[in-house]
Structure formats: C-alpha cells, structure tokens
Amino acid sequence: RILESQEVIVTKPGGGRILVKEINPAFESENRFIDEIKQAAILELIEARMIIEIGIIDLVCQNAEDEELYDLKRILEKTHENGVITDENTDFIFHYSLAKASKNSVLVNFIELNLNLINEARNINFDNKDHVIAAHQEHTLIIDALISRDAVKAKQAMAHHFSKIKQRMEEKQHN
C-alpha cells in the first residue's frame, strides 16, 4: 500500500503487483527511498490516529476523572514555558494520557505500539519553535474542551490538531 501510494507499484486485479517506476532512478539514493516509505507510513499512521483519537474523545468525556484532566492540563502548562518545550515527550504524554483517561486498554496499547512512528512524526512536527507553540495551543484547546466535557468542541479541536500535523509534515516534505 505504501509503495502504491508512492506510485512505485500498481496492483492489477488478477495480475498481481507490477513495478511501474525504477527504484534507483526514481530516488536519489536508497536512503531517500527509505525516507519516502517512512514518511508515507507516518502519514498513514496520522490518518489512523486521527480516526481513533477523535473517537477517544467520547470515552474520555464519559470515563475520565476530573483530576486526570486537570493533571494533564498542569503537565501541559509545566512542560511548555514561554514557547519552550521543557520535556520532549510532551506530545506523546498528552496523547497517551488521553488514551489512558478513556479507560480502554486497547487504545492505550495502540498508542504504545506506535510509539516509534509517533516519535518520527513528532521529530518532523516539532523541528521549529513555531510548530511547538502551535501544537501546545492545539493541545490546550483539546484539554479545555475535555475539562468542560464538551465532546463536540474537543472533537473539532482534535480534528484541527491532526489536520495541522499533516499540514506541517507536508510542508516539511516539500522543503
């Protein structure tokens, strides 16, 4: 699927998969090819996470203790002082904490299992201060809506957050 999205192969019903692009000439180096595959995998993970994490919102609103949400807000505030992220894992901690607050172990395991790709996405998204500040503001909107138990607003904020992640990644890819 990743190679298909990169237009390296096509799948023909009854005909199998066919190489449509020479790998070596199509990419400057083997590393670039690997980077392209990794980038496509990260974008697909982000699409999956967007679906799952928007779905988490209802469970968080139903199952999270107020104190869990306030603790997460304090963590966000503490780890992000004056636009400087003081803990590199803040993004993971935020999303992982939401999964834990949902009280659904499958969702927690999903986040844990995808930690490496999540870290790759974070490295791309948080490579400059503006992205860090924007992500922090997006997280704050999500947690504030959750504290208010406003699932609709939290889902909108989460969808916006993931669309911005994809936008930042695509901008990085084209630079």
Side-chain angles (χ1 to χ4, degrees):
R1 186 172 165 187
I2 293 170
L3 293 176
E4 286 177 315
S5 73
Q6 297 298 309
E7 298 176 350
V8 173
I9 64 170
V10 294
T11 302
K12 294 192 176 194
R17 291 188 168 89
I18 300 168
L19 184 68
V20 293
K21 219 188 245 189
E22 292 258 346
I23 293 175
N24 288 337
F27 298 96
E28 295 170 8
S29 70
E30 201 171 294
N31 286 340
R32 178 147 184 252
F33 180 69
I34 291 168
D35 288 344
E36 292 285 331
I37 290 174
K38 197 184 297 184
Q39 184 82 2
I42 291 168
L43 286 171
E44 288 183 2
L45 173 65
I46 288 170
E47 289 172 353
R49 282 183 57 207
M50 184 166 112
I51 293 165
I52 290 168
E53 292 195 45
I54 288 173
I56 285 175
I57 298 295
D58 287 324
L59 291 174
V60 172
C61 285
Q62 292 170 14
N63 300 330
E65 302 292 327
D66 288 342
E67 196 58 32
E68 288 176 292
L69 298 176
Y70 286 114
D71 285 347
L72 183 52
K73 181 156 176 105
R74 281 190 287 278
I75 289 169
L76 280 178
E77 291 168 348
K78 181 180 170 196
T79 59
H80 193 276
E81 298 168 358
N82 300 321
V84 176
I85 202 161
T86 58
D87 183 344
E88 287 183 5
N89 293 316
T90 301
D91 186 64
F92 175 75
I93 291 167
F94 178 77
H95 292 279
Y96 179 75
S97 296
L98 290 182
K100 281 184 69 172
S102 76
K103 309 290 193 259
N104 183 308
S105 62
V106 173
L107 296 172
V108 173
N109 289 333
F110 174 82
I111 299 293
E112 288 174 348
L113 289 171
N114 290 289
L115 177 60
N116 289 338
L117 283 175
I118 291 169
N119 284 336
E120 288 283 337
R122 186 184 68 220
N123 291 338
I124 292 167
N125 273 289
F126 298 146
D127 67 341
N128 74 44
K129 186 177 178 176
D130 292 337
H131 291 176
V132 172
I133 293 168
H136 174 72
Q137 291 168 341
E138 293 156 15
H139 288 163
T140 300
L141 290 174
I142 295 165
I143 196 65
D144 288 344
L146 288 169
I147 288 170
S148 299
R149 306 292 176 166
D150 187 339
V152 171
K153 190 173 179 181
K155 287 178 182 182
Q156 290 170 341
M158 184 69 80
H160 175 74
H161 175 54
F162 276 102
S163 71
K164 296 303 283 184
I165 289 171
K166 285 179 72 174
Q167 179 184 343
R168 289 187 286 263
M169 288 188 71
E170 289 166 356
E171 287 172 5
K172 172 87 173 186
Q173 189 175 22
H174 296 297
N175 291 337

